[in-house]
């Protein structure tokens, strides 16, 4: 008997199937949010000194100089002071590092072409001609990688060899304290000390000293340092005849005379007045003063400038920080929409007030005299 075929026309379970198909799916398990690192490197770029950047970009050298002067007054020693140019004859480092800069460049094939002086340090350094060398990479079985560039050999990024001696010994980088140059001074031997103690005294005792005796003379010991000009003695004699020698009062003079007011006679006969030594020469001879002394000396002067400047001093304090022009305007009580426009004007006005109050904040340009053709 053949098997019964299923009846495809049975619609009794159609509603149940439609209900299951139309039912909303079960909500899936929510995924955990990915953690965001604190230093995601998406922070906006902020200028370290926006006011100085704006003034320098505008080419306003006078206000740039005054703003830096205010910063140096508040924070002495914060500016970079370039050293005096030297040929490095006496300047020596206390630590010896091998290889040196010249040895590293020589190892990669660079050759010396001359010398020049660096502007920011004033040191005299060599100039080199660049050489392009191929790079060789060697991989070892233990996983280390050696990279050879000329005579330099790097293993896993660290320098392990920079040259070789004539006998083939590898020279490795070292860092050590620099030794004292020259031969050590030999000390005195015991025989030399004993012979010195046995030697007789070269000078007698100071108690046996006799003063130098010289015969006394009737001549003057101190001569007259001022020699009278021709005719002075005759003029003095005439004054003494008229009683003008100090013994008779001016009102009792036998001859009528007029007393003039005290005054200095102009002329080169006085030799001029000695000017005091410039303060720069004194400080240069005494050496550079410490930062604490500079802070104490400038503290009273800064307080004096703050009393003169008033609210301009607050603007200058914000102008030497990382605050923008808009932030400075908001800090001075301006609206947020108006602060961005008025901020630069407040900064310029504050710097102009500083230039007017402090003469050392003024930008002085030495203009060369132009030659005029005849």
């Amino acid at each position: 008997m053949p098997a019964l075929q299923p009846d495809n026309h049975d619609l009794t379970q159609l509603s149940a199937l439609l209900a299951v198909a139309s039912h909303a799916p079960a909500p899936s398990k929510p995924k955990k949010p990915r953690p965001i690192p604190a230093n995601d490197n998406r922070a906006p770029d902020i200028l370290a000194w926006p006011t100085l950047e704006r003034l320098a970009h505008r080419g306003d050298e006078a206000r740039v100089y005054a703003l830096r002067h205010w910063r140096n007054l508040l924070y002495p020693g914060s500016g970079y002071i370039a050293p005096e140019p030297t040929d490095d004859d006496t300047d020596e480092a206390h630590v010896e590092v091998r290889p040196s800069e010249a040895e590293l460049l020589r190892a990669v094939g660079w050759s010396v072409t001359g010398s020049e002086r660096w502007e920011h340090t004033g040191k005299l350094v060599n100039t080199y001609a660049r050489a392009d060398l191929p790079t060789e990479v060697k991989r070892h079985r233990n996983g280390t990688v050696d990279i050879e560039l000329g005579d330099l050999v790097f293993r896993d990024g660290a320098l392990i060899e920079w040259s070789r001696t004539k006998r083939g010994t590898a020279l490795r980088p070292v860092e050590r304290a620099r030794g004292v140059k020259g031969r050590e001074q030999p000390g005195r031997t015991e025989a030399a000390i004993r012979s010195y103690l046995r030697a007789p005294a070269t000078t007698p005792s100071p108690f046996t000293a006799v003063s130098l005796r010289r015969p006394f003379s009737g001549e003057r010991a101190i001569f007259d340092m001022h020699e009278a000009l021709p005719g002075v003695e005759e003029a003095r004699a005439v004054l003494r005849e008229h009683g003008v020698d100090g013994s008779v009062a001016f009102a009792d003079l036998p001859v009528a005379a007029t007393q003039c007011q005290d005054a200095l006679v102009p002329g080169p006969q006085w030799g001029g007045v000695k000017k005091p030594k410039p303060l720069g020469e004194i400080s240069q001879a005494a050496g550079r003063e410490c930062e604490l002394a500079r802070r104490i000396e400038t503290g009273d002067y800064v307080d004096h400038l703050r009393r003169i400047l008033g609210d301009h001093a607050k603007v200058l304090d914000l102008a030497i920080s990382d605050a923008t022009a808009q932030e400075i305007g908001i800090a001075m009580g301006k609206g947020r929409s108006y602060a961005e426009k008025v901020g630069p004007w407040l900064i310029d006005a504050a710097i102009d007030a500083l230039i007017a109050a402090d003469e050392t904040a003024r930008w002085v340009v030495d203009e060369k005299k132009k030659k005029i053709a005849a």
Side-chain angles (χ1 to χ4, degrees):
M1 184 176 180
L4 297 175
Q5 297 293 331
D7 188 3
N8 296 329
H9 300 282
D10 187 5
L11 302 179
T12 57
Q13 302 295 332
L14 180 60
S15 60
L17 294 176
L18 292 176
V20 172
S22 61
H23 191 272
S28 59
K29 188 176 181 181
K31 297 182 180 180
K32 294 183 179 180
R34 295 182 58 185
I36 301 176
N39 54 345
D40 55 352
N41 297 330
R42 294 180 181 178
D45 296 334
I46 300 177
L47 295 176
W49 200 346
T51 303
L52 186 70
E53 292 280 349
R54 181 179 61 84
L55 295 176
H57 179 72
R58 197 171 62 185
D60 196 347
E61 298 182 359
R63 290 194 175 97
V64 167
Y65 180 82
L67 186 63
R68 295 183 62 183
H69 174 71
W70 179 259
R71 195 273 307 271
N72 294 334
L73 284 178
L74 267 61
Y75 306 101
S78 59
Y80 173 74
I81 302 176
E84 295 293 334
T86 58
D87 293 337
D88 296 339
D89 294 335
T90 58
D91 299 342
E92 296 182 1
H94 298 286
V95 179
E96 182 181 7
V97 180
R98 299 289 302 275
S100 62
E101 178 185 357
E103 292 170 343
L104 281 173
L105 297 178
R106 193 183 307 115
V108 295
W110 288 29
S111 57
V112 179
T113 58
S115 61
E116 64 180 3
R117 191 178 297 277
W118 285 356
E119 296 182 359
H120 58 286
T121 60
K123 294 184 178 180
L124 193 65
V125 296
N126 296 330
T127 57
Y128 297 87
R130 184 174 180 178
D132 297 330
L133 298 179
T135 304
E136 298 182 4
V137 180
K138 297 181 180 179
R139 301 182 182 275
H140 301 278
R141 295 181 178 179
N142 56 358
T144 59
V145 179
D146 290 353
I147 301 176
E148 296 182 3
L149 178 61
D151 295 337
L152 303 180
V153 179
F154 298 89
R155 176 166 296 172
D156 294 340
L159 180 64
I160 62 173
E161 180 182 336
W162 58 274
S163 184
R164 287 183 175 271
T165 61
K166 295 181 179 180
R167 297 183 178 181
T169 305
L171 297 177
R172 303 185 182 277
V174 294
E175 182 176 352
R176 58 195 175 189
R178 184 182 294 275
V180 180
K181 288 188 175 182
R183 188 175 58 181
E184 185 179 359
Q185 297 294 335
R188 290 185 177 182
T189 60
E190 294 183 1
I193 296 175
R194 292 175 183 174
S195 62
Y196 175 76
L197 295 176
R198 288 194 300 265
T202 56
T203 57
S205 174
F207 297 102
T208 61
V210 180
S211 61
L212 180 61
R213 296 180 179 179
R214 291 182 179 179
F216 288 97
S217 174
E219 299 179 359
R220 297 174 59 183
I222 301 177
F223 299 94
D224 190 3
M225 299 301 177
H226 177 73
E227 296 181 0
L229 297 176
V232 173
E233 294 297 336
E234 291 79 359
R236 290 176 179 175
V238 173
L239 292 175
R240 282 192 295 269
E241 291 178 1
H242 291 81
V244 188
D245 57 352
S247 60
V248 182
F250 186 83
D252 300 334
L253 291 176
V255 180
T258 303
Q259 186 177 6
C260 301
Q261 296 182 356
D262 297 339
L264 292 178
V265 180
Q269 65 271 11
W270 304 108
V273 180
K274 180 176 175 58
K275 297 182 179 180
K277 195 172 184 180
L279 187 60
E281 298 181 7
I282 298 176
S283 60
Q284 184 177 4
R288 186 180 177 184
E289 59 182 356
C290 62
E291 183 179 355
L292 179 60
R294 295 180 61 185
R295 289 181 181 273
I296 295 175
E297 292 177 359
T298 57
D300 296 338
Y301 184 63
V302 171
D303 295 339
H304 169 69
L305 288 178
R306 288 186 182 278
R307 288 192 294 269
I308 297 176
L309 297 175
D311 292 339
H312 291 312
K314 301 178 182 179
V315 178
L316 292 174
D317 293 341
L318 294 172
I320 62 175
S321 64
D322 59 351
T324 60
Q326 182 180 11
E327 295 173 352
I328 294 175
I330 295 174
M332 297 306 296
K334 307 300 179 181
R336 183 173 295 275
S337 59
Y338 184 60
E340 187 175 0
K341 298 179 181 180
V342 78
W345 179 84
L346 292 174
I347 296 172
D348 294 347
I351 297 177
D352 293 341
L354 174 63
I355 294 175
D358 187 4
E359 60 181 5
T360 56
R362 298 169 189 169
W363 173 258
V364 180
V365 180
D366 296 334
E367 297 183 358
K368 298 182 179 180
K369 296 182 179 180
K370 299 181 179 180
K371 295 183 180 181
I372 302 176

